[in-house]
Amino acid sequence: MIQTIGILGGGQLGRMMALAARSMGFGIVVLDPTPNCPCGQIADKQIIAEFDDVEAAKELLNSCDVITYEFENVNLNVANALSTKLPQTSRLLEITQNRIVEKEEIRNAGLKTVEYVAITSLDSFTQFVIDYKNNPRKLIIKTAQGGYDGKGQYVINSIEDLSHFEKTNYHTKVQYVAENFTKFEKELSVIVCRNKNGEVSVFPVAENIHKNQILFQSIVPARVSADVEKMAITVATQLATHLNLVGTLAIELFLCEDGLLVNELAPRPHNSGHYTMNACITSQFEQHIRAVCNLSLGDTKLISNCVMLNILGEDKHLMNRENIGKHKLHLYGKAEAKVARKMGHINVIEDNIEKCLREVNKLVNNN
Ligand code: ADP
Ligand code: MG
């Protein structure tokens, strides 16, 4: 029987997984290089080591019954060293660590992505520049690996922008995807969990508003038609089955004129699923723990309307408990509040979305 869960990565996602696991009586060991990291504060034990330290990973292996991770950039040597206790396997990590591989896999699952060009070598970049001159358009060039919260992304509006990118940002050894800039109606996300027994459950669809490419707020239920909601849920189940998912998969979507495009995948609980902590019968973190432990999955029913507001390092007034009224505050215990760093979130629960949004506005404007 599983008694102790090992978590690779001790940031906010690890912390919230651990909180959910704790309330079900599990013990927690976390591996993270930062002493007293958000998850370390509530784990039984923290192994302080770098994420590519295979020996430290083996210590984690020996101190728990099952292992999960809070981020997709897990070193694959480490993932392989942990394979006997990693029900999620390393396959989904390999896919989601590289935007090119990820997009190919999404298309293999029979789903649509934005139009993109893979830039994998100097030759392919040179060809891409030639083609662009014949077909200039608005693009976002993204590094294929390692980007998050808009990091490693370059918006290209013209041939001049592309020349500037070539001179100042392009590295021959780095892979990129050049995506057509999409005029979407809305950004949505959907989170699906699956256990080893093949039980699948999908959370209600969230509508996401970004500011500076960082999630600002999630609105649930998403203000979309029942058909769109159904399509999003179909996308999620199709991907979970195609990928033989164990654990959690978060799917970011663009709602466009001609339907849903899959923007990107994350093989873990997701910022846009934090609303589940107060608005669903089961939170995404509890569901993730259930899935990796091959327990029955919980009920994902939405029990109230919710708007989730992220708290970033610059939002000092939102970190003050005196200012948040009756709303549900979740702070991650991070030592330093840097600009754009995710410090916590607030779930606003009201009878209807308009009221939630009004309350969120008051919080944002500090009145
Ligand atoms: P990450 O979340 O890993 O930083 P994303 O690919 O999700 O990277 O990009 C962040 C945000 O940038 C998206 O949520 C969306 O708002 C915007 N964005 C990304 N790709 C496109 C695109 N092809 N067209 C228009 N907007 C985009
Ligand atoms: Mg994203």
Side-chain angles (χ1 to χ4, degrees), residues 44-246:
D44 297 279
K45 181 181 161 192
Q46 178 177 351
I47 299 167
I48 299 170
E50 294 301 323
F51 292 125
D52 57 359
D53 183 336
V54 175
E55 284 314 306
K58 284 183 185 152
E59 189 187 337
L60 180 69
L61 186 72
N62 292 330
S63 47
C64 64
D65 305 305
V66 69
I67 293 174
T68 185
Y69 48 79
E70 66 149 13
F71 62 110
E72 49 274 39
N73 289 313
V74 175
N75 180 299
L76 293 176
N77 294 328
V78 166
N80 290 332
L82 300 177
S83 64
T84 51
K85 290 183 182 168
L86 191 69
Q88 292 163 276
T89 77
S90 56
R91 175 77 188 121
L92 195 51
L93 293 172
E94 281 173 51
I95 294 169
T96 53
Q97 280 178 8
N98 185 309
R99 292 184 194 273
I100 301 168
V101 181
E102 182 176 290
K103 283 188 189 332
E104 282 168 0
E105 202 59 41
I106 292 164
R107 290 185 170 189
N108 287 343
L111 300 167
K112 287 192 283 190
T113 70
V114 296
E115 288 303 317
Y116 69 97
V117 179
I119 300 167
T120 52
S121 62
L122 180 57
D123 280 354
S124 62
F125 183 64
T126 308
Q127 188 58 47
F128 167 72
V129 174
I130 295 167
D131 294 342
Y132 184 81
K133 285 180 180 156
N134 295 323
N135 179 21
R137 60 205 184 276
K138 188 167 181 181
L139 297 173
I140 301 192
I141 298 183
K142 304 177 182 175
T143 53
Q145 288 172 295
Y148 69 98
D149 287 344
K151 291 186 176 73
Q153 299 193 8
Y154 311 90
V155 175
I156 306 293
N157 281 298
S158 60
I159 292 165
E160 290 72 36
D161 284 354
L162 189 55
S163 308
H164 183 260
F165 170 78
E166 181 169 10
K167 284 194 201 100
T168 51
N169 300 110
Y170 177 70
H171 296 283
T172 50
K173 290 207 171 69
V174 177
Q175 298 188 351
Y176 301 86
V177 274
E179 298 182 8
N180 282 4
F181 195 91
T182 313
K183 280 210 197 88
F184 47 76
E185 242 170 78
K186 276 189 173 150
E187 287 195 77
L188 306 175
S189 61
V190 60
I191 293 168
V192 56
C193 297
R194 184 175 175 276
N195 64 17
K196 218 171 177 176
N197 286 344
E199 197 184 342
V200 176
S201 88
V202 184
F203 283 97
V205 178
E207 172 182 342
N208 300 318
I209 317 249
H210 291 81
K211 262 192 193 169
N212 305 319
Q213 285 150 307
I214 301 177
L215 185 63
F216 170 56
Q217 57 189 33
S218 295
I219 300 168
V220 192
R223 295 166 298 177
V224 295
S225 67
D227 275 356
V228 169
E229 170 110 20
K230 236 191 246 160
M231 276 184 334
I233 290 168
T234 306
V235 166
T237 33
Q238 210 166 317
L239 276 167
T241 313
H242 174 82
L243 296 167
N244 214 0
L245 175 72
V246 173

Side-chain angles (χ1 to χ4, degrees), residues 13-25:
L13 299 177
R15 176 187 177 97
M16 291 184 277
M17 282 178 198
L19 285 168
R22 267 240 177 280
S23 67
M24 295 179 85

Side-chain angles (χ1 to χ4, degrees), residues 210 252 263-264 270:
H210 291 81
E252 295 181 15
N263 171 32
E264 64 167 348
H270 192 260

